[in-house]
Amino acid sequence: LNENSFITRLRYFQITAFSIFFITSFLNFIANLLNSYLITAVACIILVLVRYLLDNNHIKAAYYSLLFCINLALVFLTGVEGINSGVFLFFFPAIISFAFLVDLSEKRNVFLTYAICLCSFIIAVVFIPVYSNAQEVIGKAHRTNFFINILSSFSLIGWMSFSLAKENKKKQNV
């Protein structure tokens, strides 16, 4: 990736992540899921900081802030809402997105990115359910949240696929 392409992809991912967290934050507020609302609201604030870093040409700081923000928010949301909420499904589009963001020529960044993503996923899916009672999700609001999480994660994968296909078509035409 050249630097302009990397920055463009990083901006698209930041905007998409912010949109998803903002919508989720709003839905968590409506469903009266206070802890989930606080996590998603803090993630939105951090994503605004990522945009500030991007606009001020602090690209590496923006990338790592985005990486940690997404992964920590998903781990905390899984811990608060439980494995039955379906929040862990957001790890798949996140891992795929970071696979297209990371500069493959820098082996250390590739290793660090995948290590953070996979460790976060393992913590959320394996360790949190074992050491927490959060997996016992009950109530209509949580069932609604599960279906919202499934639809949102699949919509996000669809959006990412469309964006990547569009960018690849531009490259082929050049």
Side-chain angles (χ1 to χ4, degrees):
L1 291 174
N2 64 33
E3 189 162 338
N4 288 336
S5 178
F6 176 73
I7 292 170
T8 301
R9 286 183 179 193
L10 201 55
R11 285 180 197 267
Y12 282 139
F13 188 52
Q14 181 270 336
I15 291 167
T16 304
F18 179 83
S19 300
I20 293 293
F21 277 122
F22 185 79
I23 292 167
T24 305
S25 180
F26 178 71
L27 294 173
N28 285 333
F29 180 76
I30 289 174
N32 202 23
L33 299 170
L34 181 62
N35 292 332
S36 298
Y37 167 72
L38 291 173
I39 293 166
T40 52
V42 168
C44 285
I45 292 168
I46 293 170
L47 289 169
V48 169
L49 171 69
V50 168
R51 184 56 181 237
Y52 173 80
L53 291 170
L54 279 171
D55 291 344
N56 288 299
N57 220 16
H58 299 288
I59 308 306
K60 283 204 180 235
Y63 176 77
Y64 286 114
S65 297
L66 182 65
L67 179 66
F68 284 108
C69 173
I70 299 295
N71 284 288
L72 287 175
L74 292 176
V75 167
F76 287 135
L77 283 171
T78 304
V80 167
E81 294 181 13
I83 197 77
N84 293 337
S85 71
V87 172
F88 71 92
L89 293 171
F90 283 102
F91 276 107
F92 301 115
I95 291 170
I96 293 168
S97 297
F98 282 112
F100 288 103
L101 282 175
V102 69
D103 184 3
L104 296 175
S105 66
E106 296 183 26
K107 300 292 185 200
R108 182 173 175 239
N109 288 342
V110 172
F111 177 76
L112 187 60
T113 298
Y114 287 131
I116 290 170
C117 289
L118 292 176
C119 286
S120 299
F121 178 74
I122 290 168
I123 289 168
V125 175
V126 176
F127 293 114
I128 287 177
V130 170
Y131 294 106
S132 169
N133 291 330
Q135 73 267 23
E136 303 201 18
V137 178
I138 302 171
K140 185 177 180 182
H142 290 292
R143 279 192 298 272
T144 302
N145 200 23
F146 174 75
F147 290 113
I148 289 170
N149 287 334
I150 287 177
L151 289 174
S152 298
S153 66
F154 285 119
S155 299
L156 186 57
I157 289 173
W159 170 251
M160 287 172 19
S161 299
F162 171 76
S163 299
L164 291 171
K166 185 176 161 184
E167 187 171 326
N168 286 339
K169 185 176 179 181
K170 282 183 194 176
K171 286 182 181 180
Q172 287 177 353
N173 291 336
V174 170

